[in-house]
Amino acid sequence: MPRLKIEDLQKIKERHWSEYSLREGGYRAKVTVHMGTCGIAAGAGNVMTDLLAEIANAGAEDVIVTTSGCAGLCAREPMATVEIIGHPPVKYCDLNSEKIKEIFKGHIIGRNPAEEYALSEDMPFFKYQVLRVLRNKGMIDPERMEEYIARDGYQAVVKALTELTHEEIIKVVKDSGLRGRGGAGFPTGLKWEFASKVQSDMKYMLCNGDEGDPGAFMDRSVMEADPHAVIEGIIIGAKAIGAHQGYIYVRAEYPLAVKRLQIAMDQCYDAGLLGKNILDSGFDFDLEIYQGAGAFVCGEETALMRSIEGKRGMPRPRPPFPAQKGLWDKPSVLNNVETLAQVPLIILNGADWYRGLGTEKSPGTKVFALTGAINNIGLIEVPMGIPLKTIIQDIGGGMKKGRRFKAVQMGGPSGGCLPENLIDIPVTYEDIVKSGAIMGSGGMVVMDDNNCMVNTAKFFLDFTADESCGKCTPCRVGTKILLDILTDITEGRGKESDLETLEDLSRDIISSSLCGLGQTAPNPVLTTIKYFRDEFHAHIKEKWCVSGVCRDLCTFLIDEELCNGCGACMRACPAKAIIGEKKKPHRIIQDLCVQCRTCYETCRFNSIKILSAKARETKQAEPVSAER
């Protein structure tokens, strides 16, 4: 693409629609195969191959095929959207070769949608969402700059570079109330203002796309589906603080995000949207991608900056803050992907528009990665202040297999577990913090009554202890001690004094750790003790894991009065530990049982019981041994 002038952006927008719209382009139909990481993993590449084969066999040259990033409902991938003139778009899910053939012949050729494979836009998953960061989700080909420009792309850059001073840009962002979406929720405009006031020959504008939380994929999906939105936000931020060099820090485990970001950056350089004298405005800005090795601590801003410098990713004490002394000791601003993707819309539409959603202290929308024991796993964007219940029961479609909702982990390993009685809590920064959790970057892991909360706390402590950089003693040693105590409790060696030790040590770690990793690592411990104390007592006093997760504390037995000998558990058992004749009660050979829960999950008659050693002695005869 040749170097652009401001007037060229509108021309490209007009040409784009005349070239690719169905009516003026002379196309019968447009098919978008959604190919984010989730779609590709589910088989979207095969769907694309099958679709192109059907088009070639039919000689249907008037059918255009394109791609996009994630469409949001990851649990129903592979997905594709069919658009035909005069008809509403139809989004198809759970696709395979046979379904593609039916859809092609019935819908694309015959104009009769295959309703049995289609998703309704009125379903609760879509109905309760408001798309801003995800405004182009499933709508554009992320590798075609023209498609981004056609949806008002880079109009905010034009406004920021030609109509607004850096003070005016900062004021709009400050007035909007935009808070950093990377976890801490610090006001974005205030951070920009700090950096803008520092005099320096060099400043840096940085984007954090590291995203190390287990179960989180918000930033990855945005970078894959809409890389130009991130770049546009970076350019505007650079103008605001007076930076002429920027970096996007992305973990190397995100190859598709890296690829699409690089393509978008190359397009921007070719078009004159990066480099010297952008849009003839006199503003220069260069941008590079830096691939991280996957260290969780590099999500902390000073550790991330040391990593870019080629040093080991370890945080440093603050002050001085990065706005005064950051990358290579120069003033630097770091914002995460979601934060920067919000900026172009705020510049175009104004602060009042942005505040039209959300609450006074938490305006706007928030993107969440909804995962766990929930039906509608996917990427969602909702207004701040929405009840947690709406996210879980309506958007998320409730619990899988009709299980009971037990808890939701918010904020990743640095967050906390919120119980069922807090399901009506508004999702805002202040309300979530009051509960003992944090908003975090947006990971939301939903758990049902099969989860052991003691083991859940142990899981997250195992992660944070392993990811500690080791620089400060409270985090390096303290998280290991917490993990050892939790391990003892889950393996039957817990003492009643352990709970007090866990709480006291957690508070000490929070108050004395150097960076956010250590300061938030004990959150899963404190919230599980606060809301699920009875489970800790059961593990310590009764030596019993009621959920049957901690193998050393549970025994699986078959209630012979309820077992009808269907054989389902015996066929499912990977250890071949279940014996019995057809239509007669079965039994578990305890010497072979590995406590994997497969029988418990498989049985439809509630005949599998999870008992503690004490309960087994009083309620069940001696279990069958391997010798018997």
Side-chain angles (χ1 to χ4, degrees), residues 80-102:
T81 301
V82 176
E83 299 175 71
I84 296 177
I85 294 174
H87 300 270
V90 179
K91 194 180 294 322
Y92 292 105
C93 62
D94 303 317
L95 294 176
N96 55 35
S97 296
E98 294 304 315
K99 290 180 181 179
I100 285 294
K101 291 178 182 178
E102 290 184 46

Side-chain angles (χ1 to χ4, degrees), residues 18-29 61-63 85:
S18 64
E19 181 181 352
Y20 288 104
S21 68
L22 300 181
R23 188 178 305 279
E24 296 182 27
Y27 294 107
R28 175 201 304 267
E61 296 180 357
D62 55 354
V63 176
I85 294 174

Side-chain angles (χ1 to χ4, degrees), residues 168-456:
E168 290 171 331
I169 295 172
I170 291 171
K171 185 178 187 305
V172 172
V173 176
K174 281 181 66 177
D175 291 347
S176 73
L178 174 64
R179 300 175 65 168
R181 298 304 197 247
F186 190 82
T188 303
L190 194 59
K191 181 185 286 190
W192 289 9
E193 185 176 54
F194 291 154
S196 71
K197 292 181 177 179
V198 179
Q199 299 298 316
S200 177
D201 61 337
M202 190 66 181
K203 296 182 182 180
Y204 295 98
M205 186 70 196
L206 311 174
C207 172
N208 183 357
D210 190 54
E211 195 170 54
D213 291 4
F217 49 89
M218 305 78 56
D219 292 346
R220 187 203 73 208
S221 297
V222 173
M223 290 185 288
E224 290 176 358
D226 203 7
H228 284 285
V230 182
I231 294 172
E232 186 171 14
I234 294 172
I235 296 171
I236 295 169
K239 168 66 183 298
I241 70 170
H244 298 290
Q245 176 67 52
Y247 292 92
I248 305 177
Y249 189 98
V250 188
R251 58 179 43 226
E253 292 96 326
Y254 284 177
L256 185 59
V258 171
K259 173 191 172 186
R260 289 180 174 169
L261 280 169
Q262 190 62 60
I263 289 172
M265 286 170 50
D266 292 343
Q267 292 170 342
C268 286
Y269 272 107
D270 290 342
L273 289 166
L274 285 174
K276 301 292 184 181
N277 194 22
I278 297 173
L279 295 175
D280 296 326
S281 66
F283 180 68
D284 304 337
F285 183 68
D286 288 299
L287 186 62
E288 297 179 33
I289 295 174
Y290 187 94
Q291 295 187 51
F296 180 64
V297 73
C298 286
E300 196 275 339
E301 58 182 357
T302 60
L304 181 150
M305 292 173 194
R306 286 178 61 90
S307 179
I308 293 177
E309 292 170 356
K311 302 171 184 175
R312 181 178 177 183
M314 300 176 76
R316 63 165 175 77
R318 297 177 297 176
F321 292 94
Q324 286 82 38
K325 188 176 181 181
L327 184 63
W328 286 298
D329 292 335
K330 299 295 184 180
S332 306
V333 164
L334 176 69
N335 296 122
N336 92 316
V337 167
E338 184 184 342
T339 307
L340 292 165
Q342 301 255 21
V343 170
L345 290 177
I346 293 172
I347 296 300
L348 272 184
N349 299 291
D352 291 340
W353 169 85
Y354 185 76
R355 283 189 171 276
L357 286 178
T359 66
E360 182 181 355
K361 294 182 179 180
S362 296
T365 61
K366 180 74 187 78
V367 178
F368 290 100
L370 193 58
T371 63
I374 200 163
N375 284 305
N376 296 334
I377 292 173
L379 188 71
I380 67 170
E381 184 174 5
V382 294
M384 285 285 201
I386 189 172
L388 185 59
K389 183 177 182 179
T390 301
I391 294 177
I392 293 172
Q393 294 188 356
D394 297 317
I395 298 174
M399 310 305 292
K400 289 180 180 178
K401 301 180 181 179
R403 304 294 307 189
R404 179 179 65 82
F405 168 71
K406 185 172 185 178
V408 58
Q409 174 76 11
M410 294 191 64
S414 301
C417 296
L418 305 185
E420 184 179 18
N421 65 343
L422 292 183
I423 197 170
D424 291 314
I425 188 174
V427 178
T428 66
Y429 283 99
E430 49 275 11
D431 287 297
I432 298 301
V433 168
K434 285 179 185 177
S435 72
I438 61 173
M439 186 79 73
S441 59
M444 192 177 285
V445 183
V446 181
M447 291 170 274
D448 62 21
D449 53 358
N450 281 329
N451 288 92
C452 167
M453 302 314 297
V454 183
N455 188 70
T456 297

